[in-house]
Amino acid sequence: MKFLVINGPNLNLLGLREPDIYGKQDYAALCDLVRQTCAAEGIEVALFQSNHEGAIVDAIQGAYGKMDGIVINPAAYTHTSIAILDALKAVGLPAVEVHISDVSQREDFRQVSYAGRACIKTYMGLGFEGYRQAILYLKDYLAK
Ligand code: DQA
């Protein structure tokens, strides 16, 4: 089983960025957690982070035929990007949406998730643990 884990804009600044909301651990720590979780589950994983919408679209398209599933935190593009939604729909791979913070309890403009419409499940407000849950959920989903 092969998963692509995608992180969108500003998630490279985890640790520095609004630690009260996103925590004190950095992006490298998140990558470690994802790699360790996948290794323990026998899953091959590729990690991708970009601050650019088109690069994220390219990564989703590139997963077609190579990956079995996608875990995605589109960050701010969650709330704006129809292009990312369309890319997820185009490749048709099962995708799980993750948000570190509980977006449901935040500003009005965060209440829409375009990408979420193409995802089989969303985890929010669990911190980095949401990524672990997403990987386990996707593995179970694909095993069925
Ligand atoms: C986020 C929530 C988004 O609203 C925000 O723009 C982010 C991070 C999260 O992980 O909680 O950049 O996706």
Side-chain angles (χ1 to χ4, degrees):
M1 226 178 257
K2 290 186 190 170
F3 291 177
L4 175 62
V5 177
I6 299 175
N7 280 288
N10 300 306
L11 292 169
N12 56 315
L13 294 186
L14 284 170
L16 170 74
R17 170 189 190 203
E18 299 180 272
D20 293 350
I21 297 175
Y22 300 111
K24 290 182 182 152
Q25 288 190 288
D26 64 9
Y27 178 68
L30 175 59
C31 293
D32 284 348
L33 174 103
V34 166
R35 287 199 187 96
Q36 280 165 20
T37 304
C38 288
E41 297 297 324
I43 298 163
E44 278 184 52
V45 69
L47 281 135
F48 179 78
Q49 189 278 328
S50 179
N51 297 323
H52 303 278
E53 183 177 16
I56 295 169
V57 169
D58 288 344
I60 294 167
Q61 289 187 8
Y64 183 75
K66 296 199 186 89
M67 298 288 169
D68 300 303
I70 295 174
V71 172
I72 184 164
N73 181 348
Y77 290 138
T78 305
H79 319 299
T80 62
S81 180
I82 297 166
I84 291 174
L85 166 64
D86 284 349
L88 289 169
K89 285 166 85 172
V91 299
L93 291 168
V96 178
E97 178 185 22
V98 178
H99 298 287
I100 294 166
S101 65
D102 184 357
V103 285
S104 74
Q105 301 300 312
R106 297 182 63 192
E107 302 93 327
D108 287 352
F109 59 82
R110 295 184 207 273
Q111 299 313 309
V112 169
S113 171
Y114 289 107
R117 294 186 188 205
C119 292
I120 55 172
K121 178 97 177 158
T122 297
Y123 291 94
M124 61 173 75
L126 300 178
F128 287 8
E129 170 65 15
Y131 290 81
R132 208 179 67 82
Q133 296 288 328
I135 290 161
L136 298 178
Y137 185 88
L138 199 51
K139 186 190 174 194
D140 272 9
Y141 177 88
L142 285 161
K144 279 178 192 152

